[in-house]
Amino acid sequence: MAAQFDLKNDGVVVIIGSGAGGGTLGNELAQKGIDVVILEAGARHEYEDFVNDEWDSFAQLAWKDKRTTSGDWRVAKDFPNLPAWIVKSVGGSTTHWAGASLRFQEHEFKALSSYGKVKGANLLDWPVTLAEMESYYAKAEAKMGVTGTNDWPRLPGNNNFKVLKAGADKLGYKECHTGNMAINSVERDDRNSCQQTGFCFQGCKWGAKWSTLYTEIPKGEATGHLEVRPNSMAIKINHDASGKVTGVVYADKDGKLQEQKARIVAVAGNSIESPRLLLNSESSKFPHGLANSSGQVGKNYMRHTTGSVYAIFDKPVHMYRGTTMAGIIRDEARHDPSRGFVGGYEMETLSLGLPFMAAFLNPGGWGRSFTTALDHYDHMAGLWIVGEDMPREENRITLHADEKDEHGMPIADVHFDDHANDTAMRDHAYSRGQALYAAVGATRTFPTPPYPSTHNLGTNRMSEKPADGVVNKHGQTHDIKNLFVSDGSQFTTGGAENPTLTIVSLAIRQADYIAAQMSAKSI
Amino acid sequence: MVTIYERQPHERKPGLSRRELLKRGGAGALLIISGGAVISPEHAWGLETAALKPETMATLIQVARDIYPHDQVPDKYYAIAVKGHDETAAKDPAHKELIEKGIADLDKKAGSGGYRGLGWEEQRVALLKEVEKTPFFQAVRGGLVVSLYNQKEVWPIFGYEGESYSKGGYIARGFNDIEWL
Ligand SMILES: Cc1cc2nc3c(=O)[nH]c(=O)nc-3n(C[C@H](O)[C@H](O)[C@H](O)COP(=O)(O)OP(=O)(O)OC[C@H]3O[C@@H](n4cnc5c(N)ncnc54)[C@H](O)[C@@H]3O)c2cc1C
Ligand code: SF4
């Protein structure tokens, strides 16, 4: 039975956000018998409620509250009020996510040592290594049912994958397969196997794809130690005179302000909302926001160097059929500065339905050059580029000077300028992607600009030294012992890999640490 | 309210006094303005306007096609895609003015025959290029991206199959049926 805790109960751990980080942490703590309240800004939609329709699903699940943008990135021009594609719903972005689950490479945990100083970048080594993370990665893969691990077969390749694989073979790429996907290739964990529906980005109606919504959360609730409170938007974290956090003020479903008392607070609202909340929790004791003695809260915003390549062939492909992202080439993920940039990138299959293709293929584009591309929609194949981008202090989340949301909380501004390394990497990836499809006979290819960010990282980063970042190697803030960060905003650097497996692994590890600290009575 | 109505077969012959006869470049279908409506006698649909002049609506339909030209997509879907402007115009005088003035401006630029009188798509597109930066054009183009391509009825024309859950996904319906590689 799901628990229900009193607002005045100051023994609970309060987690803000129920996505990859928050949902996992909540279940892990509950399994250890620790009482948890998850405050989730969005509503609860179970997987039967998901819709196989791009715009309707976006309307149902996505975070649509206004944000502003600045900087030279193209998203600011194309989607000035939609910098990121993030979910506001129980389960967070693990409802919309595609399931690609990759471990970081060893050198990526040591970006500064591996790449050296890069001008205009705020590189740093993570305070954890791959060796320390390995056992947690293994736990996360087992929990999420990642294909290609634990003897679970990889997914069968769909049409879009077959085109990718044919091109990879032509270019001599060695590591190309249907990926490590947190999608059941066989029935397990009381959930279906993938039915190749092709609406992974709209929420999996079969429950085949891992989401905290129907794995971690109900499992945690079954312990009687977890309460998930939907439609509860955290606005401010309170603290006492000693500087310890004591509770979270949130707007409930009726917009009324409540305060949930807490022994520990863990912030997991994804990399735009987490720093927004910390900055908005300023007080006379912490005039620059909570946990911000380093001044790094909100800074070093990363979004991965992304872009897509679509290609048209003289024969049909039907790329939208089947698992959206089950297909990867890993050969370019290595660090090889001879290519003209540091770090590497992955190439993964990607498909959009006709409505999103029209919106994202070339935002703002019109006329025959644009429409003749869509005329051949069923002859298209596509891949997505995801590579390491450079952390920069100027790339940051700030509170808007005068615009506020319905609860009176300043909205977030997202500033991003591409680093020269990002641009060089993207151009390299475009040319490889275009060459790949040309090698299979594409008659036309499209280097498609980045979409609103789905991977949002780095805005409360981990650091060895308190002066360099916001949290320590356990996601505990350097400044406040009972305040944690549990989402992708902890990332010191981004790596080339899709981030969620690492977010989940860090959350499992953090749960162990919190439990140990609680029993030692040190928090 | 804008209504797009299918006309009954016996009504198909335009026994209407043609206030204006509109020739569209390319396919050569006819749009007729009658009273408060734009009518396509060939394809048996009509569209009644509430706030915008029907002539404006007819031009707007042409503008929509010139922005996102798909020769295999009938006018009806462009009409559905722009009818929201008439609905908004009925509630918001500023929007009405934006659209009426935008269209009047295009007509003026086009010369004596108006925008729809220009025979070649290239001629019309050249005018659209001139106004590409205006709020009028931005409003029309921006809205169309969703209102045209999010019509389920047009998806099959592009070979997009839409919803698949109710059919059991593609596991037995061709997710890996590519043969030409
Ligand atoms: C379309 C799409 C495809 C993706 N595909 C992949 C993929 O294949 N592989 C991969 O690794 N990653 C993928 N991602 C990214 C992945 O979803 C995220 O990295 C991951 O979910 C982030 O976890 P998180 O815990 O940081 O935040 P989220 O999962 O976004 O959860 C944050 C939650 O916090 C809530 N919240 C925020 N602020 C507040 C507040 N103030 N009060 C209360 N609640 C709040 C939000 O409503 C949300 O539910 C994809 C994302 C999208 C959108
Ligand atoms: S393709 Fe598979 S994982 Fe994706 S939505 Fe369909 S059943 Fe779920």
Side-chain angles (χ1 to χ4, degrees):
Chain A
M1 253 295 282
Q4 260 198 309
F5 296 105
D6 195 275
L7 288 171
K8 295 198 181 62
N9 184 336
D10 61 2
V12 297
V13 176
V14 174
I15 301 175
I16 293 146
S18 62
T24 304
L25 178 66
N27 180 32
E28 289 288 319
L29 292 174
Q31 297 297 334
K32 297 175 198 295
I34 296 168
D35 292 336
V36 178
V37 174
I38 296 184
L39 299 175
E40 168 53 57
R44 189 161 182 160
H45 304 276
E46 300 299 346
Y47 66 72
E48 309 83 74
D49 308 333
F50 292 160
V51 277
N52 273 194
D53 180 297
E54 292 180 307
W55 285 117
D56 287 353
S57 172
F58 190 84
Q60 181 185 44
L61 299 172
W63 186 285
K64 296 178 295 297
D65 302 11
K66 186 174 175 188
R67 291 167 171 147
T68 55
T69 48
S70 51
D72 70 10
W73 57 327
R74 188 163 158 186
V75 170
K77 174 174 156 271
D78 294 339
F79 307 99
N81 297 120
L82 190 73
W85 179 0
I86 293 179
V87 172
K88 181 180 190 176
S89 189
V90 173
S93 306
T94 66
T95 56
H96 266 334
W97 83 311
S101 300
L102 303 169
R103 295 183 181 197
F104 265 45
Q105 304 168 73
E106 188 173 6
H107 69 267
E108 290 170 332
F109 281 110
K110 299 181 278 198
L112 180 58
S113 311
S114 309
Y115 308 153
K117 269 201 180 321
V118 173
K119 200 167 156 247
N122 198 14
L123 282 173
L124 196 67
D125 289 352
W126 287 61
V128 279
T129 61
L130 178 62
E132 283 172 85
M133 287 301 294
E134 258 162 359
S135 64
Y136 292 100
Y137 271 137
K139 283 186 184 158
E141 286 161 348
K143 179 195 274 297
M144 299 160 82
V146 177
T147 60
T149 75
N150 295 281
D151 297 326
W152 290 310
R154 291 194 203 273
L155 291 161
N158 69 351
N159 291 330
N160 202 21
F161 170 73
K162 288 183 168 183
V163 178
L164 183 88
K165 177 77 169 78
D169 289 347
K170 287 257 162 64
L171 295 196
Y173 283 138
K174 295 285 176 284
E175 201 179 343
C176 174
H177 48 68
T178 61
N180 298 99
M181 305 297 294
I183 293 178
N184 282 355
S185 55
V186 289
E187 277 182 39
R188 57 167 284 285
D189 200 25
D190 290 327
R191 289 185 289 116
N192 274 309
S193 61
C194 174
Q195 302 299 305
Q196 303 286 340
T197 313
F199 284 88
C200 308
F201 283 175
Q202 282 65 46
C204 180
K205 281 184 77 71
W206 302 95
K209 181 187 77 181
W210 178 85
S211 168
T212 53
L213 172 65
Y214 42 83
T215 59
E216 306 309 306
I217 289 168
K219 286 178 190 180
E221 286 172 334
T223 65
H225 293 289
L226 172 64
E227 175 187 352
V228 177
R229 223 171 275 166
N231 304 305
S232 302
M233 169 79 186
I235 287 175
K236 191 177 168 71
I237 301 169
N238 286 334
H239 63 79
D240 63 16
S242 77
K244 266 178 41 184
V245 296
T246 52
V248 179
V249 178
Y250 68 96
D252 70 12
K253 60 181 192 329
D254 306 315
K256 259 181 64 188
L257 293 189
Q258 309 283 359
E259 186 192 10
Q260 174 64 55
K261 291 286 180 196
R263 175 167 170 188
I264 292 171
V265 173
V267 184
N270 206 325
S271 292
I272 298 177
E273 293 309 311
S274 290
R276 177 184 178 211
L277 180 61
L278 293 179
L279 293 171
N280 196 52
S281 300
E282 55 163 27
S283 64
S284 53
K285 190 171 176 69
F286 300 115
H288 305 294
L290 284 190
N292 198 17
S293 66
S294 63
Q296 294 289 311
V297 171
K299 292 185 180 166
N300 311 302
Y301 170 66
M302 294 173 289
R303 57 171 318 268
H304 273 144
T305 295
T306 64
S308 309
V309 178
Y310 291 99
I312 292 176
F313 297 86
D314 57 348
K315 300 195 189 65
V317 177
H318 300 289
M319 65 172 175
Y320 55 86
R321 295 182 185 167
T323 328
T324 308
M325 206 174 260
I328 190 168
I329 298 169
R330 305 211 59 186
D331 297 59
E332 301 284 1
R334 70 192 192 279
H335 168 55
D336 171 7
S338 75
R339 291 174 298 178
F341 51 87
V342 301
Y345 61 89
E346 313 276 354
M347 290 188 271
E348 301 172 352
T349 55
L350 179 73
S351 148
L352 300 175
L354 184 77
F356 274 16
M357 190 59 82
F360 295 125
L361 177 66
N362 181 17
W366 61 279
R368 290 213 176 246
S369 153
F370 179 80
T371 55
T372 50
L374 296 181
D375 285 340
H376 303 289
Y377 174 77
D378 54 356
H379 286 48
M380 265 187 186
L383 64 81
W384 195 51
I385 298 154
V386 47
E388 176 157 11
D389 61 340
M390 292 293 109
R392 317 184 77 184
E393 287 213 359
E394 317 82 279
N395 291 347
R396 62 188 289 201
I397 313 303
T398 50
L399 298 180
H400 199 281
D402 26 66
E403 282 197 59
K404 295 194 164 62
D405 70 9
E406 58 181 317
H407 309 299
M409 182 175 180
I411 66 170
D413 180 77
V414 182
H415 181 96
F416 192 88
D417 298 318
D418 278 318
H419 187 279
N421 197 75
D422 306 344
T423 310
M425 179 186 288
R426 182 178 296 118
D427 289 344
H428 188 272
Y430 278 150
S431 71
R432 295 307 285 162
Q434 292 184 284
L436 180 138
Y437 286 129
V440 211
T443 52
R444 196 173 162 199
T445 55
F446 307 86
T448 295
Y451 314 128
S453 317
T454 53
H455 298 174
N456 297 276
L457 304 166
T459 49
N460 294 303
R461 73 175 182 180
M462 264 190 194
S463 64
E464 188 71 56
K465 293 196 208 113
D468 295 333
V470 181
V471 299
N472 68 14
K473 63 192 293 184
H474 296 289
Q476 182 178 34
T477 63
H478 288 302
D479 297 352
I480 302 172
K481 265 171 102 175
N482 66 341
L483 177 62
F484 288 77
V485 175
S486 318
D487 58 17
S489 68
Q490 298 171 82
F491 281 33
T492 311
T493 53
E497 292 73 23
N498 314 53
T500 306
L501 182 75
T502 303
I503 295 173
V504 172
S505 305
L506 288 170
I508 299 172
R509 184 166 170 271
Q510 185 177 71
D512 286 353
Y513 178 78
I514 289 177
Q517 297 289 306
M518 285 175 80
S519 48
K521 301 254 180 319
S522 49
I523 45 177
Chain B
M1 262 298 285
V2 192
T3 38
I4 300 245
Y5 51 87
E6 305 283 340
R7 303 174 74 228
Q8 297 307 312
H10 67 270
E11 295 175 321
R12 279 193 187 191
K13 285 267 170 269
L16 305 148
S17 67
R18 299 185 177 189
R19 254 183 45 217
E20 201 181 341
L21 198 65
L22 308 160
K23 229 194 201 113
R24 179 160 58 69
L30 299 174
L31 286 185
I32 294 170
I33 311 281
S34 165
V38 183
I39 293 166
S40 167
E42 297 299 316
H43 296 98
W45 61 265
L47 186 157
E48 271 173 6
T49 61
L52 296 173
K53 286 187 279 190
E55 291 84 354
T56 301
M57 208 57 187
T59 307
L60 200 54
I61 293 169
Q62 183 64 57
V63 167
R65 179 177 286 284
D66 292 336
I67 293 176
Y68 291 124
H70 294 287
D71 301 333
Q72 72 281 33
V73 175
D75 269 347
K76 178 182 166 184
Y77 299 113
Y78 288 97
I80 294 172
V82 294
K83 77 184 169 74
H85 289 292
D86 187 55
E87 283 159 14
T88 313
K91 284 177 257 158
D92 176 6
H95 192 77
K96 181 172 169 180
E97 187 174 319
L98 179 80
I99 301 295
E100 290 287 5
K101 280 203 165 153
I103 294 292
D105 175 51
L106 284 175
D107 278 336
K108 192 158 149 249
K109 284 192 164 65
S112 58
Y115 183 85
R116 278 179 278 125
L118 296 174
W120 286 92
E121 183 182 296
E122 282 81 351
Q123 296 174 295
R124 297 188 302 270
V125 166
L127 292 190
L128 294 179
K129 281 253 180 279
E130 282 181 37
V131 302
E132 198 179 10
K133 298 264 162 1
T134 62
F136 161 72
F137 183 89
Q138 296 291 332
V140 174
R141 191 206 61 75
L144 270 177
V145 177
V146 178
S147 64
L148 178 62
Y149 297 108
N150 205 32
Q151 293 179 52
K152 290 191 173 57
E153 295 74 17
V154 310
W155 294 349
I157 303 175
F158 292 90
Y160 177 53
E161 296 170 90
E163 189 275 334
S164 85
Y165 171 76
S166 69
K167 300 173 194 128
Y170 289 103
I171 194 155
R173 296 190 313 124
F175 79 100
N176 60 355
D177 65 357
I178 198 163
E179 274 168 7
W180 52 267
L181 278 167

